[in-house]
Amino acid sequence: MTPLFSVSQSEITPQSFTVTDESTDIPGTVTQRRLYVQNAYGVYLSGDGTVDYDEWPLANASITKSYLVEDTAANIKTDWLDINDDVVETLNINYPLSEFGKQFFFQLVSAQGLTPGIYQDSNYSGNLAIFWSNIVAGDNAVTYGNSLAAAQNCYNREIQMMQEQAKYF
Amino acid sequence: MPNPTISETITYGRISTYLVGNSNSKGNLFGGRLSAPGSMVSIAMITDALAWGQDSQSSQNVRSMANYLIWLIGMFGQQAQYIASGSGGGSVIPGGGGLTQLNFTVAASGTTLIDGQSSTTLPASWAGLNIVVNKNGQALTQITSAPVYYTWNSITRLLTVVPDAFLGDEFQITAV
């Protein structure tokens, strides 16, 4: 089989992301599928505390999970298993899940329309640029550098700016 | 070492954005860094400007801007060159669940490109997207005078690689 999946993140509810199985030629021996999601600190976001994975029934082409609380550089792994719990195929890819910051950025730019003069404030415009570039940098760290740690460092800076938005914006 | 191509420079710019950002945030315990930090904001902006202008502006202007970016990223460019030689991670498309990345090893049959094949039409979900293509861990250029390159038509979704795909080649196609 050729294992493959894609990941999308909701713009409206950024805590939710969807993994879609795009694999081809799945053999008949595969009877179950499991999803693992791990953050840059090695902590499993998936699972229930007893196991590290979420069961992903084969009947469902996609699975949506809603356990993100902030921008997260995540390693997402899918295992395809046989009836004996032996892994037939596995695939893991790092993903930049940064929709919290992107939506906040959109709201900031939208709010400029209410107070157009604010862009003349160099602190505001400078911080806005730094905020934006940290999101871009985090995404690049995963997509080009494949580094969860480097990406989460970038995200943590923009998360802190979001948390202390009264100070920066 | 020859100058990086425009595509390579854009990749180095994207990687340097986070390298510079993370480097600048170090050193807080004993004060700020002593060397003048580069600006991740400038690098991010100029990288995008170069990416957006590479197919529309004169080659002289594009080369000038690429040289400016190479100067701006400085020593981080060398680190970026090393990182770019590895394989990247995935990318996420907000909202709908379209394909964002294809990873495959060329086989005799059943893969996006099969042994000896030079072109393929990607699925409909790739329409309108820009892509980057890595082959065996190396980012490919779109400059057709290069010995190894790819062309991509985002309307017809036709991807062409030169030379032909060969058995065992590892491809990674990412929407950007």
Side-chain angles (χ1 to χ4, degrees), chain A residues 119-135:
Chain A
Y119 205 76
Q120 304 302 318
D121 181 334
S122 61
N123 284 331
Y124 172 82
S125 51
N127 287 336
L128 187 70
I130 290 169
F131 181 78
W132 163 74
S133 52
N134 272 309
I135 297 172

Side-chain angles (χ1 to χ4, degrees), chain A residues 129-148:
Chain A
I130 290 169
F131 181 78
W132 163 74
S133 52
N134 272 309
I135 297 172
V136 172
D139 289 1
N140 289 347
V142 175
T143 303
Y144 290 88
N146 213 1
S147 171
L148 291 184

Side-chain angles (χ1 to χ4, degrees), chain A:
Chain A
M1 72 179 274
T2 306
L4 184 66
F5 60 79
S6 65
V7 174
S8 63
Q9 188 180 11
S10 171
E11 296 148 295
I12 298 169
T13 52
Q15 61 269 32
S16 301
F17 64 98
T18 299
V19 183
T20 304
D21 193 342
E22 311 276 1
S23 303
T24 53
D25 302 327
I26 300 174
T29 51
V30 170
T31 58
Q32 48 181 330
R33 186 172 45 194
R34 291 173 181 170
L35 179 75
Y36 295 80
V37 181
Q38 216 173 0
N39 68 15
Y41 308 105
V43 175
Y44 280 99
L45 306 178
S46 53
D48 56 6
T50 307
V51 293
D52 295 329
Y53 55 85
D54 295 321
E55 289 287 356
W56 180 3
L58 284 178
N60 303 333
S62 62
I63 184 171
T64 297
K65 289 292 167 185
S66 304
Y67 36 57
L68 300 177
V69 294
E70 59 186 20
D71 285 341
T72 303
N75 177 268
I76 298 180
K77 183 175 88 159
T78 301
D79 280 350
W80 290 263
L81 305 100
D82 63 18
I83 198 167
N84 300 316
D85 281 353
D86 293 327
V87 175
V88 175
E89 193 61 78
T90 186
L91 177 66
N92 74 86
I93 302 175
N94 294 332
Y95 282 95
L97 300 166
S98 56
E99 206 59 40
F100 285 95
K102 287 170 182 167
Q103 295 309 312
F104 184 77
F105 181 76
F106 181 89
Q107 290 164 11
L108 279 176
V109 175
S110 298
Q112 282 175 203
L114 299 174
T115 50
I118 196 170
Y119 205 76
Q120 304 302 318
D121 181 334
S122 61
N123 284 331
Y124 172 82
S125 51
N127 287 336
L128 187 70
I130 290 169
F131 181 78
W132 163 74
S133 52
N134 272 309
I135 297 172
V136 172
D139 289 1
N140 289 347
V142 175
T143 303
Y144 290 88
N146 213 1
S147 171
L148 291 184
Q152 196 61 53
N153 280 335
C154 298
Y155 291 151
N156 287 348
R157 288 193 293 274
E158 49 98 352
I159 290 168
Q160 188 258 341
M161 295 180 84
M162 269 196 286
Q163 289 170 338
E164 299 186 40
Q165 52 188 275
K167 179 176 158 187
Y168 291 103
F169 305 111

